[in-house]
């Protein structure tokens, strides 16, 4: 069965990091830390996060 990217319902904000961690089979803490570092670095990660929040369905 193919994986499907969905947001998790136990997410801290929107469940995007939890959904990405589940999709790529990673630890959710690593995904959250990487996202925070990218936010602080000033990259486009905030906009990508918001777009994923809007288009990725909730589980």
């Amino acid at each position: 069965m193919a994986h499907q990217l969905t947001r998790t319902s136990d997410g801290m904000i929107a469940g995007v990091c939890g959904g990405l961690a589940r999709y790529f089979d990673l630890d959710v803490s690593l995904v959250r830390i990487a996202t925070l570092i990218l936010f602080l670095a000033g990259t486009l990660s905030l906009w990508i996060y918001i777009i994923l929040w809007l288009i990725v369905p909730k589980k």
Side-chain angles (χ1 to χ4, degrees):
M1 186 169 146
H3 290 290
Q4 183 177 2
L5 180 59
T6 57
R7 294 184 291 138
T8 58
S9 59
D10 60 344
M12 294 182 83
I13 296 176
V16 175
C17 290
L20 287 172
R22 183 177 295 151
Y23 183 77
F24 291 111
D25 196 28
L26 298 170
D27 183 28
V28 69
S29 297
L30 293 176
V31 176
R32 287 181 179 143
I33 290 170
T35 303
L36 178 64
I37 290 171
L38 290 173
F39 280 170
L40 295 176
T43 61
L44 292 173
S45 61
L46 177 62
W47 291 109
I48 293 170
Y49 188 90
I50 292 170
I51 290 169
L52 286 174
W53 188 353
L54 295 173
I55 63 172
V56 173
K58 197 165 194 173
K59 184 174 179 181

